């Protein structure tokens, strides 16, 4: 049963983690691995009637939070947007790159 769940939901959870982690495939793979490791450890305690997909998403969200806490240099997407908004760099007009060509 565990193998069936992994085969069915691995890619879904990986893509979800990748989206939540700003497209970082390496981070998403690490988190996805933790999600399925947690599932494996708790496989005997899960009830058959539970919505496994919901459980996987919930666990993924928790593991994403743990990953970000353990990797303080990793900035979530919201932080990148704040940094960009606070940037002091002036906008450069496209004409600045013409290099005098007519």
């Amino acid at each position: 049963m565990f193998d069936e769940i992994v085969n069915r939901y691995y890619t879904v959870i990986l893509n979800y983690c990748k989206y939540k982690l700003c497209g970082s495939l390496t981070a998403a793979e690490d988190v996805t691995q933790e999600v399925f490791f947690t599932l494996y450890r708790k496989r005997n305690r899960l009830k058959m009637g539970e919505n496994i997909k919901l459980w996987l998403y919930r666990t993924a969200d928790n593991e994403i939070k743990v990953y970000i806490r353990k990797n303080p240099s990793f900035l979530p997407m919201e932080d990148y947007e704040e940094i960009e908004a606070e940037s002091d760099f002036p906008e450069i007009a496209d004409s600045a790159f013409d290099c005098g060509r007519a």
Side-chain angles (χ1 to χ4, degrees):
M1 180 162 156
F2 175 76
D3 292 337
E4 292 173 24
I5 294 170
V6 173
N7 289 333
R8 185 172 182 179
Y9 294 109
Y10 183 85
T11 305
V12 173
I13 297 301
L14 178 66
N15 288 333
Y16 177 75
C17 292
K18 187 177 172 187
Y19 171 77
K20 290 288 212 167
L21 292 166
C22 309
S24 172
L25 181 59
T26 304
E29 289 172 335
D30 291 344
V31 171
T32 303
Q33 182 177 357
E34 288 300 319
V35 168
F36 286 100
F37 182 64
T38 301
L39 173 66
Y40 183 78
R41 283 186 316 204
K42 296 184 177 188
R43 70 190 182 282
N44 295 328
R45 288 182 258 157
L46 292 174
K47 298 174 185 147
M48 295 304 289
E50 270 190 63
N51 184 344
I52 194 68
K53 189 174 181 180
L54 178 62
W55 187 91
L56 289 170
Y57 278 113
R58 229 182 299 133
T59 304
D61 281 334
N62 292 335
E63 290 298 335
I64 288 167
K65 291 173 188 173
V66 169
Y67 181 86
I68 292 171
R69 262 196 313 269
K70 286 183 177 179
N71 298 285
S73 62
F74 184 84
L75 290 174
M77 185 64 85
E78 298 84 34
D79 293 341
Y80 285 116
E81 291 169 358
E82 288 175 17
I83 290 170
E84 187 177 293
E86 295 172 2
S87 176
D88 291 335
F89 296 110
E91 293 294 321
I92 299 173
D94 288 337
S95 60
F97 296 102
D98 287 343
C99 301
R101 291 182 229 163

